[in-house]
């Protein structure tokens, strides 16, 4: 039986990945920040709690699980928070990746490793869409930490011969997204207002463009990278640019409302629009991994709105 260790299994991607692996007959081990069993992942075997920067502890977690595959998802995940605490971001996201790779090298050198990088490694690119050849030029502590991880993946692969694949992941969303991300903020807000909340929903830049995919599709690309015969870097994206305004339009229409009656622009949330949008070209993932998305933008917004319960952070999960 294949054994997989998923760091950060309690997060959005961990949820979808753990279910995918379980459905494929993989024995899933996981680590969580607080060392507690995620209540909605009862089948995941918990590895000993490991501080991300503690090599001995992470080594122990790898040794206990004895994995054939390691998915390293644990990280500080927000660009905005990386500006509030750049040192913690460097520690958890950059050094955490170094720690994990060292632990695997020492305890499970034959394991196949997936590292989650991010479109933020491209910073403010000169062209769009971006692919695996686009220069790495991050412009945030988050992007810089993810770029370090990406370069380390390449180093361990090319110099040490470890099987290390990296996904350059564009925004990927689901009902599991925390409510401070714009997708959840909007789907939650639309549902709450439809249920009687007076609103308004206060947002930042409605003209901001992102390449939003469904997290359930993104984790299939992760698994495909480790099933592939050669480790590499892959852009994982839909290739479709959409604005925050379109998101509002679809989400409010889903509950029978017009967003223009309920959304106001609040300077506190405003960020400048990037001159060249972050949109990914996933041709390589499609042609070499056989990967394809199954949920388009409109379907993603619909499934997120439908999963909102109107209260609380944990909506019902469709499917
Ligand atoms: P990010 O791509 O990791 O920064 O993910 P977010 O979901 O936080 O932001 C996506 C885009 O939505 C960014 O371009 C923001 O400028 C834009 N945006 C507009 N209004 C808001 C808001 O109220 N909150 C957040 N988080 N983003 C907003």
């Amino acid at each position: 039986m294949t054994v997989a260790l998923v760091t950060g299994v309690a997060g959005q991607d961990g949820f979808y990945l753990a279910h995918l692996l379980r459905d494929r007959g993989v024995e899933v081990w996981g680590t969580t920040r607080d060392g507690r069993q995620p209540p909605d992942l009862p089948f995941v075997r918990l590895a000993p709690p490991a501080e991300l920067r503690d090599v001995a502890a992470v080594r122990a977690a790898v040794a206990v699980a004895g994995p054939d595959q390691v998915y390293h998802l644990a990280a500080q995940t927000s660009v905005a928070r990386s500006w509030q605490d750049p040192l913690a971001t460097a520690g958890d996201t950059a050094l955490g990746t170094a720690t994990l790779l060292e632990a695997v090298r020492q305890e499970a050198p034959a394991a196949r490793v997936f590292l989650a990088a991010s479109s933020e490694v491209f910073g403010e690119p000169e062209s769009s869409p971006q692919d695996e050849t686009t220069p790495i030029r991050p412009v945030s502590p988050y992007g810089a930490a993810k770029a370090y991880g990406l370069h380390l993946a390449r180093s361990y692969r090319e110099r040490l011969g470890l099987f290390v694949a990296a996904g350059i992941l564009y925004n990927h969303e689901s009902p599991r997204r925390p409510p401070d991300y714009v997708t959840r903020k909007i789907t939650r807000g639309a549902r709450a207002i439809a249920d009687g909340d007076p609103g308004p929903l206060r947002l930042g830049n409605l003209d901001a463009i992102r390449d939003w995919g469904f997290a359930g599709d993104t984790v299939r690309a992760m698994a495909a990278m480790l099933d592939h015969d050669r480790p590499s870097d892959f852009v994982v994206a839909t290739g479709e640019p959409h604005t925050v305004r379109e998101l509002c339009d679809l989400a409010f229409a889903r509950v029978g409302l017009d967003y223009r009656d309920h959304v106001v622009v609040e300077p506190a949330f405003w960020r400048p629009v990037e001159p060249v949008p972050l949109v990914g070209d996933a041709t390589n993932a499609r042609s070499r991994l056989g990967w394809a998305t199954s949920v388009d933008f409109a379907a993603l917004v619909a499934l997120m709105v439908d999963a909102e319960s109107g209260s609380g952070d944990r909506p019902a999960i469709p499917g």
Side-chain angles (χ1 to χ4, degrees), residues 21 52 58 63 73 81 86 91 102 176 188 207 211 241 282:
L21 295 172
L52 283 175
V58 175
L73 308 181
R81 274 200 302 278
E102 262 314 280
R176 297 249 143 192
R188 206 154 89 121
D207 298 317
D211 175 332

Side-chain angles (χ1 to χ4, degrees), residues 79 171 180-182 185 202-205 208 210 244 269 271:
V79 176
N171 293 46
D180 51 335
Y181 286 81
V182 79
K185 189 173 171 183
R202 298 177 191 282
L203 295 174
N205 202 327
R210 284 288 185 276
V244 172
F269 298 119
R271 292 186 236 159

Side-chain angles (χ1 to χ4, degrees), residues 220-275:
R220 281 192 297 103
M222 299 177 186
M225 282 180 225
L226 297 200
D227 288 341
H228 193 58
D229 49 0
R230 283 223 333 260
S232 189
D233 307 326
F234 289 96
V235 161
V236 181
T238 72
E240 277 187 33
H242 291 284
T243 61
V244 172
R245 192 182 304 281
E246 286 175 76
L247 227 169
C248 290
D249 194 11
L250 287 169
F252 279 83
R254 185 82 182 165
V255 293
L257 299 174
D258 185 332
Y259 83 93
R260 288 170 296 188
D261 299 331
H262 303 283
V263 168
V264 298
V265 172
E266 171 78 40
F269 298 119
W270 207 88
R271 292 186 236 159
V273 178
E274 293 80 4

Side-chain angles (χ1 to χ4, degrees), residues 7-8 33 52 72-78 81 88-89 92-94 96-97 116 142 146:
T7 70
R33 199 185 293 273
L52 283 175
H72 183 48
L73 308 181
Q76 193 289 96
T77 57
S78 147
R81 274 200 302 278
T89 302
D92 286 351
T93 303
T97 301
Y142 174 85
K146 286 288 186 184

Side-chain angles (χ1 to χ4, degrees):
M1 188 186 221
T2 302
V3 175
L5 173 64
V6 181
T7 70
V9 76
Q12 167 187 266
D13 295 1
F15 176 85
Y16 287 100
L17 181 62
H19 280 276
L20 175 80
L21 295 172
R22 197 252 331 238
D23 292 349
R24 291 182 176 180
V26 174
E27 178 178 309
V28 186
W29 287 72
T31 67
T32 60
R33 199 185 293 273
D34 57 10
R36 284 208 291 263
Q37 183 83 30
D40 37 17
L41 293 174
F43 57 88
V44 168
R45 303 185 66 176
L46 266 199
E51 157 64 34
L52 283 175
R53 286 168 259 172
D54 181 340
V55 182
V58 175
R59 267 186 74 170
V62 172
V64 168
D68 305 295
Q69 302 182 337
V70 178
Y71 295 88
H72 183 48
L73 308 181
Q76 193 289 96
T77 57
S78 147
V79 176
R81 274 200 302 278
S82 83
W83 285 111
Q84 288 154 16
D85 198 344
L87 288 181
T89 302
D92 286 351
T93 303
L95 291 184
T97 301
T99 306
L100 187 275
L101 285 175
E102 262 314 280
V104 170
R105 187 171 73 90
Q106 293 171 16
E107 297 293 340
R112 297 185 168 199
V113 180
F114 169 82
L115 298 182
S118 160
S119 55
E120 292 292 329
V121 301
F122 297 132
E124 289 171 357
E126 283 171 6
S127 59
S128 191
Q130 300 83 40
D131 63 20
E132 295 82 0
T133 65
T134 302
I136 308 293
R137 271 201 303 247
V139 293
S140 69
Y142 174 85
K146 286 288 186 184
Y148 174 85
L150 183 58
H151 287 306
L152 216 56
R154 292 174 179 174
S155 309
Y156 273 65
R157 182 194 306 151
E158 282 157 27
R159 290 295 158 89
L160 300 179
L162 264 69
F163 190 113
V164 185
I168 303 175
L169 311 179
Y170 283 66
N171 293 46
H172 47 288
E173 315 294 315
S174 77
R176 297 249 143 192
R177 230 358 171 180
D180 51 335
Y181 286 81
V182 79
T183 47
R184 263 311 298 291
K185 189 173 171 183
I186 292 169
T187 58
R188 206 154 89 121
R191 171 64 69 194
I193 291 169
D195 287 349
D197 187 303
L201 178 63
R202 298 177 191 282
L203 295 174
N205 202 327
L206 302 186
D207 298 317
I209 293 174
R210 284 288 185 276
D211 175 332
W212 280 291
F214 172 49
D217 285 338
T218 305
V219 302
R220 281 192 297 103
M222 299 177 186
M225 282 180 225
L226 297 200
D227 288 341
H228 193 58
D229 49 0
R230 283 223 333 260
S232 189
D233 307 326
F234 289 96
V235 161
V236 181
T238 72
E240 277 187 33
H242 291 284
T243 61
V244 172
R245 192 182 304 281
E246 286 175 76
L247 227 169
C248 290
D249 194 11
L250 287 169
F252 279 83
R254 185 82 182 165
V255 293
L257 299 174
D258 185 332
Y259 83 93
R260 288 170 296 188
D261 299 331
H262 303 283
V263 168
V264 298
V265 172
E266 171 78 40
F269 298 119
W270 207 88
R271 292 186 236 159
V273 178
E274 293 80 4
V276 175
L278 280 174
V279 176
D281 174 355
T283 301
N284 264 325
R286 281 196 302 274
S287 62
R288 290 172 54 202
L289 303 177
W291 178 73
T293 57
S294 68
V295 175
D296 69 12
F297 181 65
L300 172 65
V301 177
L303 81 80
M304 288 182 68
V305 172
D306 294 352
E308 296 292 351
S309 61
S311 64
D313 290 355
R314 268 288 143 94
I317 302 300

